[in-house]
Amino acid sequence: MKHSTRLISGVGALAVTALALAGCSSGGSGTSTSAADGDGGELTPVSLQLQWYSQAQFAGYYAALEQGYYEDEGLDVTILEGAADIVPIDVLTGGDADFAISWVPKVLGSIEQGAAVTDIAQIFERSGTTQVSFKDENITTAADLAGKSVGSWGYGNEWELFAGMAKAGVTLDKISLVQQAFDMSGFLAGDIQAAQAMTYNEYAQVLETVNPATGELYQPDELNLIDWNKEGTAMLQDAIWADSDRLADDADYADTAVKFIKASIKGWAYARDNAAEAAAIVTDSGSQLGESHQLWMTNEVNKLIWPSTSGVGMINQDQWDQTVKIAMDTPNETGATVITSEPPATAYSNEYVEKALAELKDEGVDVMGADFEPITVELKEGGN
């Protein structure tokens, strides 16, 4: 049996050749195609738009593809890479993808502007956004940002930071707000005292850099992190989004949504239990990031998913409400908020993920990960 891996880059329409993996995989993916889809052997074409380039932030989807989990559900999945100029929800609503991965606050703004999309599976339960600083700056909470130069990427990534400062009583006139590039160069150069960093990416970039004072790589004990989960201003991030109108009008699409969620969660369970193998799958997909960086990313993303409170993909009401409240009540430096009113009821639904979780539990798949323990990853210079 062969499991096909089909990837299309979002940059320049780069075509990536299919990788054929001979032999049946373990973990229940050895079922033949015809038996799996129950429709004469024909697979349903499905496309998934990522919100960024190929990297282990999306390890579960790549693992589901490579392990044949999508195929087992009768789906022929193509993963579309993202890029700086690609808005996943625009691709979805434009009919060029069946599903998309994006952060909830970013999509809430699109919904208010008329996008008919639904969060059908909230894969990341925790936020990976932080502010990182060197130990000697003594910045450990949002309140400590007063009087400091604070980096922000903007482009919809700033809301947890601004909400955290507002909660701590730190107004924008009390900091020096720096437009931060999507890297840590400004931080390492000393231009930014507290820089925005994802736990699974930019934070690792610092730890992959040689400290000129020691000649060794920077170590975690030389840095402080402000964790928005602990500060109480975390917002929901990576979710699977579907077309609301198609869900309502097309029974086949709704059924496909359940199958897609099911296989994707199975892929994330694989990434949880086989972090090194999952990282290697992403590397082999054509990602430009190094092997140690990919493994770090897989491990850190696993921490955002596992253990799960209600089953991976479930949208927890309290977390949704907190995200919406921050989106409505927190202004950025221009005075704008993400949204001005409550999103419609169709903005999220647990209907499809509940069906997927029920099937996974019947098959003995651990969808809670109560015993999850992260691994120890040794980063190398440059993430190689």
Side-chain angles (χ1 to χ4, degrees), residues 13-336:
L14 172 67
V16 182
T17 306
L19 303 176
L21 302 178
C24 292
S25 302
S26 60
S29 60
T31 308
S32 68
T33 300
S34 59
D37 63 31
D39 189 26
E42 293 185 8
L43 301 175
T44 300
V46 172
S47 54
L48 171 68
Q49 176 64 59
L50 303 181
Q51 65 178 2
W52 198 241
Y53 300 102
S54 172
Q55 59 183 26
Q57 175 184 355
F58 314 110
Y61 310 108
Y62 285 102
L65 193 58
E66 193 273 345
Q67 291 294 301
Y69 299 151
Y70 291 127
E71 219 175 271
D72 289 347
E73 296 300 318
L75 307 179
D76 179 17
V77 172
T78 298
I79 295 178
L80 309 173
E81 287 191 69
D85 59 348
I86 290 177
V87 180
I89 295 306
D90 289 350
V91 179
L92 175 61
T93 57
D96 295 317
D98 296 295
F99 303 103
I101 307 300
S102 191
W103 288 11
V104 172
K106 295 183 180 182
V107 181
L108 289 177
S110 296
I111 291 174
E112 185 161 276
Q113 294 169 19
V117 293
T118 301
D119 179 350
I120 57 170
Q122 186 58 53
I123 301 301
F124 285 11
E125 184 173 330
R126 302 165 189 89
S127 168
T129 309
T130 67
Q131 294 294 131
V132 61
S133 59
F134 285 113
K135 213 80 167 182
D136 58 7
E137 298 287 357
N138 296 314
I139 303 172
T140 59
T141 69
D144 299 324
L145 293 172
K148 306 295 185 179
S149 57
V150 179
S152 172
W153 295 315
Y155 299 103
N157 298 286
E158 69 270 30
W159 305 108
E160 292 168 299
L161 165 63
F162 288 166
M165 290 195 302
K167 185 177 180 181
V170 179
T171 54
L172 283 169
D173 61 349
K174 293 181 179 179
I175 68 166
S176 175
L177 186 65
V178 180
Q179 177 64 53
Q180 182 180 332
F182 286 96
D183 59 38
M184 300 303 283
S185 58
F187 174 72
L188 292 169
D191 299 328
I192 301 173
Q193 291 169 288
Q196 200 158 50
M198 303 305 294
T199 56
Y200 51 77
N201 197 358
E202 290 79 15
Y203 176 54
Q205 290 176 20
V206 178
L207 300 176
E208 295 162 355
T209 302
V210 172
N211 180 349
T214 65
E216 305 290 337
L217 296 182
Y218 283 107
Q219 297 299 309
D221 61 9
E222 298 177 84
L223 303 166
N224 282 328
L225 289 179
I226 298 177
D227 182 345
W228 301 120
N229 299 287
K230 295 179 180 178
E231 294 284 311
T233 60
M235 301 178 82
L236 292 171
Q237 298 187 343
D238 288 31
I240 300 174
W241 295 87
D243 185 303
S244 305
D245 294 334
R246 290 179 68 188
L247 287 173
D249 300 335
D250 186 344
D252 289 338
Y253 178 69
D255 182 57
T256 295
V258 174
K259 293 177 179 179
F260 182 79
I261 294 169
K262 178 184 176 183
S264 297
I265 292 175
K266 201 169 181 180
W268 282 113
Y270 177 89
R272 175 196 66 207
D273 299 334
N274 306 275
E277 291 85 350
I281 289 170
V282 178
T283 301
D284 291 343
S285 77
S287 175
Q288 299 303 303
L289 299 175
E291 292 183 9
S292 72
H293 190 95
Q294 294 282 18
L295 183 56
W296 174 280
M297 185 177 288
T298 303
N299 191 45
E300 291 302 315
V301 165
N302 273 330
K303 295 177 186 178
L304 306 181
I305 301 171
W306 312 102
S308 172
T309 301
S310 310
V312 173
M314 287 291 292
I315 300 107
N316 297 317
Q317 190 67 52
D318 59 337
Q319 294 176 319
W320 179 268
D321 290 346
Q322 177 169 296
T323 299
V324 170
K325 180 174 175 54
I326 291 172
M328 289 178 61
D329 297 347
T330 302
N332 64 10
E333 73 277 15
T334 70

